[in-house]
Amino acid sequence: MPKYVYDFHEGNKDMADLLGGKGANLAEMTTMGLPVPPGFTITTEACRAYLATGAQPAELADEVELHLHGMERRMGRKLGQVDAPLLVSVRSGGRYSMPGMMETVLDIGLTDESVHGLAAWTDDHRLAWDSYRRLLHMFGQTVLGIDPTHFTAALADAKTAKGVTGDLDLDTADLMRLAQRFKAIIREQTGRDFPQDPHEQLDLAIRAVFNSWNTERARIYRRAEHIPHDLGTAVTVCAMVFGNLGMDSGTGVAFTRDPATGRPGAYGDYLADAQGEDVVAGIRNTLPLAELARLHPVPYAQLTEIMRTLEHHYRDLCDIEFTIERGRLWMLQTRVGKRTAAAAFRIADALRAEGLIDDDEALRRVTGAQLTQLMFPRFSADTSLPRIATGVAASPGAAVGQAVFDSATAVAWSQRGIDVILVRQETNPDDLDGLIHAQGVLTSHGGKTSHAAVVARGLGRTCVCGADELEIDPAARRCTGRGGVVVTEGDTISIDGTSGAVYLGSVPVEPSPIVEYFQGRLQADADSLVRAVDRIVRHADNRRHLGVLANADTPADAQRAHQFGAEGIGLCRTEHMFLGDRRELVERLILADTDTERAAALAALLPLQRADFVGILTAMNGLPVTIRLLDPPLNEFLPDHTELATRVAVADATGHPDPAATRLLRAVQRLHEQNPMLGLRGVRLGLVVPGLYDMQVRAIAEAAAQCAKDGGQPEAEIMIPLVGDARELAVISDRAATVLAAVRTETGIALPHRIGTMIELPRAALTAGRIATWAQFFSFGTNDLTQTTWGMSRDDVEGAFFPAYLDQGIFAVSPFQTIDRDGVGRLMTLAVREGRAQRPDLTIGVCGEHGGDPDSIHFCHDIGLDYVSCSPFRVPVARLEAGRAAIGESTTDSR
Ligand code: ADP
Ligand code: MG
Ligand code: MG
């Protein structure tokens, strides 16, 4: 038979699944000998049984009675006893903290009779009636489901009638009248009287707490926080202590360190003559903890001592609730406290320095997501500019620009060099171009999974969405914000994707000190935050098995990646090297009718390519640089079809035909593809465009030879994209070997050049064993592998239906953000196994955005990859998470 009720003496902090965080930690504090009022906790199991059947388990009532008797014996008072009543609180609390989402009822046990007993026993009539009216209100609202405005309106009336503003200005007689009024409200609203049997009150309150697990707001909260719906809440019943027994009593909340900055020193708020939520409800101004030291030195000293004890015991920042009853301190709650990203790093490093935790534990306590937050530029803290709205912080960053109200304007203005913020009620796939060209996007509708949010995160644009204070009028090209402030097209606004704030005007942006540190502009000891990041990331480096490389196409990017700690370039794309002025050479290559014409075009491209590679190999001297041969379809290098067709038509119509344009148009039409993603691209280009890959291989080899001649240590690797069959790679490898041998003879410099392939088609993964015969390394192109495995073109689907898929729970997260372990991941696992079986020293890595995603990095660690390669900005995060994966920590923050 299950045990449904645990006395505080029977539990401990590791029983949060069963007792909820609150119950488990109250038990822990009791066992530690801290002053906790007696109490017991009803398990989450009882709640689950209740929610499943609609009835409390048969044994529960007896168990509750039994524990209640124990409590009554210890207190020497009985629940609802007429002369000296025991009162209890009935509190909710599940495995994960859900602040303010579920219910608590205080002062259970007060009745028309026992209220007099309480007054006599405490010698405080005001306290008794104050507590009674609180019970009537809370019970009426949470247990009986009465609209709380009935109670708050009656309270306001009482104050108005008396001509006062504060609750404390009401005297005993006022509170007595208020209690009568509240009882009348209960009768009017429910057709029955407030229950005068304390045991019935207790029973109803327990059921109400069980039921509060399933309120709409609790469900919404859990969905947002990824907390399972089937855990249930525990119910803690705890003897009441009174912070509302006059000015030598009070109640407060405190943190053992500052949860905002992580700096040491207790931090909290205290309110004299108050109970329960008064502190956080903001009905009166609270005092900082330091004031408590002056007011009540003895309990304050005890509190400080307890906070120190708790921090040592939990080895972490704790947050607590306490009450002082006539000078006597009581602990009502503790838990490991939530904290900001900066605080997480500072606290982990400080606790390590104090010897409470070791370096591994410090590494466990911070996440890549937190490090990312610290790397975005931020608005300088003290802005006096008017805040015109607050929305959902959907994609981090600090963006400043001129407001525009449609995507066409965003594109046009940004092409004129103006920074813009796209302001829309909501966005749709037609806004993609506008989003790309904007610094950030601001919407008045939609949440974190709205189109704007999903696309902005994908593009790395700042996004604030769902700012519903904004009245947006796209036709009039203006919006109206808080306080009637009007923003017209062209006005500068600032949006903070980390807090959701929207300002009129240009808030100064400052670079993140963490980025400054990585780029060598700040010393590691400049500040406690930088010091913490430095130490923890370096420890992750010591631990990780995964190498961390970067995706970079230019010497400047490569340089930056190296500063962030990249150990090489895992993906250097070459397509941008064919754009700009060189487009014309590519046109010549595509249009070439004869071998001579083609050779001439390639010969013109060769020295340009060589110079590109010299730049990158020099920037990454001594580190591997994996260069991918040309990948995109050729028509990406040709002019737009419509534009060209118009030009040709106009020329023909006006009697001045343009033969060059006509020829180009025919090529554009010939190369047009229905599905370019699945068309003539990657290795297929290398196989059908004579000389193209040979030219690139030659440029790489000559560049490396030149670097070596100049005393450098070039480490160029050649990577072939979109291979689906070993024979494709065999042909290209063969030709490359010929070119490499020729360059070796011509230059007299012998350099090893590894040749490998991307694994980005399901067929490549399925035939990896054979492909490994020809490849010295594999690099998973997880973007294309995800597209081809799911049969989804990323650009088409992300805006079109991903928000709906996320909303309906088909994805918990986009497979383009986190590697889909079940599908794409299985192909990868297979390719690793069969590739290494064929070639034991095969190097295997991942390139593409997944390489910087914490969950995906952990997956890469799990399947034994050699490295991840990601964008330079994500390199520090990859280093951190690779270290966390190596010490067996998950990516999520348990705090
Ligand atoms: P929450 O989970 O919202 O913090 P709690 O169950 O902690 O809810 O209770 C709400 C408030 O009532 C808190 O301020 C708490 O300290 C106070 N409280 C709870 N139980 C008691 C008690 N036995 N005596 C005095 N105050 C209590
Ligand atoms: Mg609490
Ligand atoms: Mg690809």
Side-chain angles (χ1 to χ4, degrees):
M1 198 182 82
K3 174 174 164 63
Y4 286 122
V5 183
Y6 286 75
D7 190 87
F8 286 174
H9 285 286
E10 297 175 303
N12 64 57
K13 68 173 166 31
D14 301 321
M15 294 172 72
D17 284 339
L18 202 57
L19 304 180
K22 197 180 287 170
N25 288 319
L26 278 164
E28 185 80 10
M29 287 199 290
T30 302
T31 315
M32 287 168 73
L34 301 184
V36 177
F40 56 84
T41 298
I42 302 166
T43 64
T44 54
E45 197 180 349
C47 175
R48 288 192 294 270
Y50 172 83
L51 292 176
T53 61
Q56 300 196 25
E59 311 83 1
L60 183 59
D62 288 348
E63 272 192 72
V64 168
E65 279 303 305
L66 198 73
H67 281 82
L68 186 63
H69 288 151
M71 199 166 140
E72 290 175 335
R73 256 199 319 281
R74 237 169 296 141
M75 299 293 285
R77 289 180 280 134
K78 283 188 165 51
L79 186 69
Q81 176 182 323
V82 174
D83 52 345
L86 170 67
L87 306 188
V88 297
S89 60
V90 175
R91 316 170 63 181
S92 59
R95 169 74 185 82
Y96 301 102
S97 149
M98 294 170 52
M101 286 303 128
M102 290 180 302
E103 308 295 359
T104 285
V105 186
L106 305 181
D107 301 314
I108 292 279
L110 278 178
T111 61
D112 291 351
E113 269 186 322
S114 70
V115 65
H116 297 288
L118 182 65
W121 182 69
T122 57
D123 194 19
D124 188 332
H125 288 262
R126 190 181 183 285
L127 162 95
W129 288 98
D130 186 48
S131 303
Y132 199 23
R133 64 97 185 174
R134 286 172 190 264
L135 170 64
L136 290 164
H137 174 168
M138 266 188 270
F139 197 93
Q141 176 179 343
T142 35
V143 181
L144 304 175
I146 298 170
D147 179 351
T149 53
H150 291 290
F151 299 107
T152 47
L155 174 62
D157 288 350
K159 288 191 275 192
T160 318
K162 195 165 185 187
V164 297
T165 53
D167 293 5
L168 285 186
D169 298 323
L170 297 177
D171 61 20
T172 308
D174 301 323
L175 293 168
M176 281 170 97
R177 267 193 300 277
L178 198 57
Q180 298 312 329
R181 178 75 200 108
F182 281 6
K183 282 199 297 177
I185 291 173
I186 290 176
R187 202 174 314 116
E188 287 155 17
Q189 295 297 318
T190 66
R192 50 169 291 193
D193 283 323
F194 173 70
Q196 292 294 324
D197 172 1
H199 291 267
E200 187 188 351
Q201 290 175 10
L202 177 61
D203 183 58
L204 290 173
I206 290 170
R207 286 167 199 267
V209 172
F210 282 160
N211 287 326
S212 70
W213 176 257
N214 272 336
T215 56
E216 185 60 19
R217 63 180 172 160
R219 300 191 74 87
I220 292 171
Y221 183 87
R222 287 197 294 271
R223 217 173 297 141
E225 296 290 311
H226 302 293
I227 299 173
H229 289 305
D230 55 2
L231 300 177
T233 179
V235 183
T236 293
V237 177
C238 180
M240 286 299 297
V241 291
F242 298 100
N244 48 345
L245 269 172
M247 292 311 281
D248 60 349
S249 303
T251 183
V253 294
F255 293 86
T256 56
R257 293 177 192 243
D258 185 336
T261 64
R263 293 187 203 280
Y267 169 100
D269 298 308
Y270 177 76
L271 195 58
D273 199 2
Q275 188 181 59
E277 309 279 62
D278 294 357
V279 192
V280 283
I283 49 172
R284 277 186 278 145
N285 283 341
T286 55
L287 299 175
L289 222 45
E291 283 291 297
L292 182 62
R294 214 175 38 75
L295 282 176
H296 301 301
V298 176
Y300 177 78
Q302 195 191 355
L303 182 69
T304 332
E305 180 58 27
I306 288 176
M307 287 206 273
R308 219 181 53 84
T309 306
L310 284 173
E311 212 179 73
H312 277 242
H313 186 76
Y314 284 88
R315 303 182 307 139
D316 208 343
L317 159 83
C318 293
D319 83 22
I320 60 171
E321 289 175 5
F322 65 94
T323 279
I324 296 174
E325 180 184 285
R326 289 190 173 147
R328 182 160 177 207
L329 177 68
W330 291 100
M331 299 300 294
L332 291 176
Q333 190 173 332
T334 192
R335 68 185 154 212
V336 168
K338 296 224 190 289
R339 66 207 68 187
T340 63
F345 274 89
R346 280 211 185 88
I347 291 171
D349 192 50
L351 294 175
R352 180 207 49 80
E354 288 168 31
L356 281 177
I357 60 175
D358 62 13
D359 279 297
D360 276 357
E361 182 61 24
L363 178 56
R364 285 199 175 89
R365 293 200 179 174
V366 294
T367 63
Q370 287 169 331
L371 183 55
T372 306
Q373 275 184 29
L374 296 179
M375 290 179 62
F376 283 103
R378 43 176 99 171
F379 287 132
S380 41
D382 42 19
T383 178
S384 53
L385 291 172
R387 183 189 276 224
I388 55 169
T390 303
V392 179
S395 178
V400 180
Q402 299 185 13
V404 294
F405 294 86
D406 64 85
S407 285
T409 312
V411 175
W413 289 24
S414 105
Q415 281 169 347
R416 286 175 11 220
I418 300 171
D419 286 346
V420 298
I421 307 279
L422 180 61
V423 184
R424 308 278 293 153
Q425 285 164 328
E426 61 219 337
T427 62
N428 61 47
D430 291 338
D431 288 310
L432 186 64
D433 225 18
L435 280 157
I436 291 171
H437 284 83
Q439 303 296 307
V441 56
L442 167 64
T443 67
S444 55
H445 297 333
K448 279 198 167 164
T449 57
S450 63
H451 175 266
V454 173
V455 177
R457 279 198 298 276
L459 293 169
R461 296 292 182 279
T462 299
C463 174
V464 172
C465 56
D468 52 15
E469 286 163 279
L470 284 183
E471 195 80 50
I472 298 177
D473 184 346
R477 297 171 178 276
R478 65 159 178 261
C479 66
T480 312
R482 191 180 294 178
V485 175
V486 175
V487 179
T488 29
E489 189 171 78
D491 288 349
T492 297
I493 58 173
S494 305
I495 62 174
D496 186 340
T498 315
S499 73
V502 181
Y503 303 93
L504 178 62
S506 167
V507 180
V509 175
E510 47 193 45
S512 139
I514 303 303
V515 170
E516 295 281 281
Y517 147 71
F518 280 121
Q519 302 201 317
R521 290 192 288 266
L522 258 190
Q523 292 301 308
D525 57 5
D527 154 279
S528 56
L529 179 59
V530 177
R531 202 161 47 234
V533 170
D534 169 66
R535 169 123 189 167
I536 294 174
V537 172
R538 279 191 297 114
H539 183 66
D541 287 341
N542 291 335
R543 283 290 190 215
R544 64 187 160 88
H545 312 161
L546 283 171
V548 177
L549 281 68
N551 302 344
D553 307 341
T554 63
D557 263 6
Q559 190 62 40
R560 198 154 77 108
H562 189 44
Q563 289 172 334
F564 282 136
E567 300 149 295
I569 302 299
L571 174 63
C572 171
R573 284 166 288 230
T574 50
E575 37 269 30
H576 78 99
M577 301 170 180
F578 291 79
L579 296 173
D581 299 343
R582 303 181 191 176
R583 217 187 256 272
E584 192 238 336
L585 295 175
V586 180
E587 279 175 20
R588 266 170 58 194
L589 174 68
I590 295 170
L591 295 175
D593 288 328
T594 66
D595 288 350
T596 332
E597 274 175 34
R598 192 174 301 116
L602 286 169
L605 278 165
L606 177 69
L608 305 173
Q609 274 273 270
R610 188 172 54 221
D612 297 330
F613 297 141
V614 168
I616 293 214
L617 290 170
T618 309
M620 296 307 282
N621 190 31
L623 298 174
V625 177
T626 309
I627 299 168
R628 180 178 73 182
L629 303 190
L630 196 66
D631 181 46
L634 287 182
N635 58 4
E636 284 195 12
F637 303 99
L638 293 177
D640 176 68
H641 177 259
T642 319
E643 200 182 293
L644 195 58
T646 315
R647 184 140 58 90
V648 169
V650 170
D652 288 349
T654 52
H656 305 286
D658 179 345
T662 311
R663 190 158 166 237
L664 200 53
L665 178 62
R666 271 204 298 277
V668 172
Q669 283 162 343
R670 177 165 47 83
L671 291 173
H672 171 78
E673 293 173 320
Q674 295 296 343
N675 289 307
M677 184 188 95
L678 303 175
L680 176 57
R681 51 169 292 217
V683 70
R684 304 162 193 174
L685 282 176
L687 289 166
V688 305
V689 180
L692 175 65
Y693 274 14
D694 288 353
M695 181 278 288
Q696 288 200 290
V697 171
R698 175 170 277 277
I700 293 169
E702 289 182 357
Q706 184 178 326
C707 290
K709 196 156 24 158
D710 296 344
Q713 269 184 288
E715 300 233 1
E717 307 193 334
I718 298 165
M719 181 155 78
I720 315 299
L722 214 75
V723 166
D725 185 280
R727 277 162 295 200
E728 292 172 316
L729 191 60
V731 174
I732 297 289
S733 283
D734 240 19
R735 281 212 229 131
T738 313
V739 175
L740 293 173
V743 175
R744 214 166 289 147
T745 316
E746 289 157 27
T747 60
I749 295 174
L751 290 170
H753 290 288
R754 302 200 322 148
I755 298 183
T757 182
M758 297 193 66
I759 301 288
E760 50 188 342
L761 293 174
R763 195 175 190 286
L766 294 168
T767 59
R770 254 174 285 149
I771 291 178
T773 326
W774 300 100
Q776 288 167 287
F777 62 87
F778 282 174
S779 176
F780 288 105
T782 46
N783 260 346
D784 271 324
L785 190 56
T786 301
Q787 298 200 93
T788 51
T789 301
W790 281 85
M792 288 174 177
S793 136
R794 174 180 179 154
D795 294 342
D796 294 323
V797 297
E798 276 202 323
F801 64 83
F802 269 31
Y805 264 43
L806 289 163
D807 270 352
Q808 295 174 44
I810 294 165
F811 303 144
V813 56
S814 156
F816 292 109
Q817 187 185 329
T818 294
I819 289 176
D820 146 44
R821 291 184 182 225
D822 300 340
V824 176
R826 275 191 77 192
L827 286 171
M828 293 172 68
T829 310
L830 179 98
V832 169
R833 195 172 57 232
E834 301 195 348
R836 290 223 173 105
Q838 171 65 34
R839 185 190 282 264
D841 65 347
L842 185 73
T843 310
I844 311 182
V846 92
C847 61
E849 280 309 291
H850 291 104
D853 166 68
D855 274 316
S856 310
I857 292 166
H858 285 242
F859 177 69
C860 293
H861 170 89
D862 293 346
I863 63 171
L865 297 197
D866 296 298
Y867 69 87
V868 294
S869 184
C870 55
S871 62
F873 191 72
R874 289 175 141 195
V875 163
V877 172
R879 291 163 63 194
L880 186 81
E881 287 294 356
R884 283 164 52 79
I887 58 168
E889 184 62 29
S890 74
T891 48
T892 45
D893 177 18
S894 53
R895 271 155 286 274

